[in-house]
Amino acid sequence: MRLRHLLLAAAVSTASLLSAAPLKIAYSDWPGWTALAIAEQKGWFKEAGVDVELLWFEYGPSMEAFTAGKVDAVTMTNGDALVTGAGGGKNIAVIVTDYSNGNDMIVAKPGIKSLKDFKGKKVGIEIGFVEHLLLLNGLKKVGLTESDVELVPTPTNQTPQVLASGQVDAIGAWQPNSGEALKAVPGATAIYTSADEPGLIYDVIAVTPQSLAQHRAEWVKVAKVWDKVVAYLADPKTKEDGIKIMAARAGVDPKEYAAFMPGTKFHTLAEGSKVLSAKTTGFDSVLGSSKIANDFNVKNEVYKESQDAASYIDASVSADALKK
């Protein structure tokens, strides 16, 4: 019993020390995550009584930093959360920021009218990532499979240049990269997007199990701040200022960035809590969407062992934030 008390005291002491450090969140250039910059610039984290340090990364490196234990949380898709977990970066989604509503695109060069024309074509894509899943989802709808195309492994931030170089016939990317690809090749078109399958790609803030256990009350505060960010972007009086902040963070012209907004279905805390807690099997819940992503990942050998999708979701943080 005494040992138990000593261990408990040590744990409390460690937690106290850790609580003095900021919660480090790695985020990247997806609009649903760049919006966190609004909270930082407005001082809303400090106002809520939670110390948060936002760290800006390219998407892939942000998950690598998470897996390496350099941050407490990372912004990523629900499908990539499973990939990260299978690779040693166990994580738990506590906040749904949005779902992709068209910003994720399969962009094809001129002359390709639809996915039906993809047979035998080269597609530049980040293998095992969410655009890969989007492509397969689209191919399935037109009666094709992955074996009908040649995938060319391409980092997402390099897809515009690769499409422009002529090395591939199409690419898969999210904004702003997909928009840059459209501009880089005159006549290129987005022939399949996430708007064609709402809920295929949920975007979340996922934390380490350790951080969630030690700083749960602080994550509840972060969830409340997220709701404030969404409200700021929904208010016609402040939306333009919010977009200006996001554009500056991403290094994109504000007018150009405003075009990305309809492609991101931002979720209020209530909306996020609903899809986090739902137990459906389709794309109308994070769990259903994640199970579909898990099947895709295993089938395509992104990882070998099936992941327990439910263990990657904790709806209680967002739910508690709604109560207070």
Side-chain angles (χ1 to χ4, degrees):
M1 182 63 76
R2 180 168 176 74
L3 177 60
R4 182 178 177 185
H5 285 164
L6 285 172
L7 290 173
L8 178 61
V12 171
S13 175
T14 301
S16 298
L17 288 172
L18 289 172
S19 66
L23 298 179
K24 294 183 178 179
I25 303 176
Y27 73 131
S28 50
D29 63 3
W30 173 255
W33 307 326
T34 306
L36 288 167
I38 298 171
E40 181 181 55
Q41 189 168 123
K42 298 296 179 182
W44 290 342
F45 291 121
K46 185 177 181 180
E47 189 177 288
V50 57
D51 190 4
V52 171
E53 181 180 0
L54 298 180
L55 300 170
W56 185 253
F57 286 89
E58 291 292 343
Y59 184 48
S62 74
M63 291 179 284
E64 292 169 4
F66 179 85
T67 303
K70 296 179 179 178
V71 296
D72 297 276
V74 62
T75 55
M76 56 186 168
T77 72
N78 61 313
D80 290 339
L82 300 175
V83 179
T84 301
K90 180 62 181 180
N91 59 86
I92 302 173
V94 295
I95 299 168
V96 175
T97 57
D98 63 277
Y99 70 65
S100 178
N101 191 39
N103 277 344
D104 288 83
M105 304 177 186
I106 304 301
V107 177
K109 69 181 185 181
I112 297 178
K113 303 297 183 183
S114 78
L115 288 174
K116 292 179 181 177
D117 301 329
F118 264 43
K119 195 172 181 62
K121 297 294 190 297
K122 293 182 178 179
V123 185
I125 211 155
E126 202 151 6
I127 304 294
F129 279 34
V130 66
E131 310 300 331
H132 186 183
L133 174 58
L134 177 68
L135 173 66
L136 296 191
N137 177 272
L139 289 176
K140 184 178 180 181
K141 289 183 176 180
V142 298
L144 297 179
T145 68
E146 184 170 351
S147 62
D148 290 313
V149 300
E150 180 181 344
L151 299 183
V152 179
T154 308
T156 299
N157 65 335
Q158 294 179 22
T159 51
Q161 301 93 305
V162 172
L163 183 66
S165 72
Q167 298 175 56
V168 298
D169 302 291
I171 58 94
W174 58 84
Q175 293 283 21
N177 299 291
S178 52
E180 291 174 4
L182 286 168
K183 288 192 299 184
V185 181
T189 54
I191 60 173
Y192 191 72
T193 80
S194 50
D196 294 308
E197 192 66 85
L200 173 70
I201 308 170
Y202 284 103
D203 300 302
V204 304
I205 297 177
V207 306
T208 66
Q210 296 84 356
S211 183
L212 182 57
Q214 294 168 354
H215 304 291
R216 189 178 183 285
E218 292 163 87
W219 285 113
V220 170
K221 293 177 181 177
V222 172
K224 294 182 72 172
V225 170
W226 173 252
D227 212 30
K228 200 169 180 177
V229 169
V230 177
Y232 198 74
L233 288 171
D235 188 337
K237 296 178 183 175
T238 53
K239 181 177 180 178
E240 185 176 341
D241 181 57
I243 292 174
K244 188 181 297 182
I245 293 170
M246 294 164 67
R249 174 62 277 187
V252 178
D253 180 82
K255 289 184 179 178
E256 185 178 339
Y257 205 87
F260 302 160
M261 301 302 280
T264 306
K265 174 63 178 73
F266 285 89
H267 274 34
T268 64
L269 195 55
E271 291 169 332
S273 180
K274 182 179 179 181
V275 295
L276 270 177
S277 60
K279 307 297 183 185
T280 59
T281 57
F283 291 115
D284 56 344
S285 74
V286 177
L287 179 61
S289 177
S290 296
K291 285 183 175 179
I292 293 170
N294 180 61
D295 291 344
F296 156 80
N297 291 334
V298 173
K299 184 177 180 180
N300 289 280
E301 299 183 340
V302 176
Y303 49 74
K304 293 183 178 179
E305 293 189 10
S306 180
Q307 300 295 297
D308 178 7
S311 72
Y312 283 80
I313 299 168
D314 186 335
S316 68
V317 170
S318 289
D320 284 356
L322 283 170
K323 297 174 185 174
K324 300 176 181 177

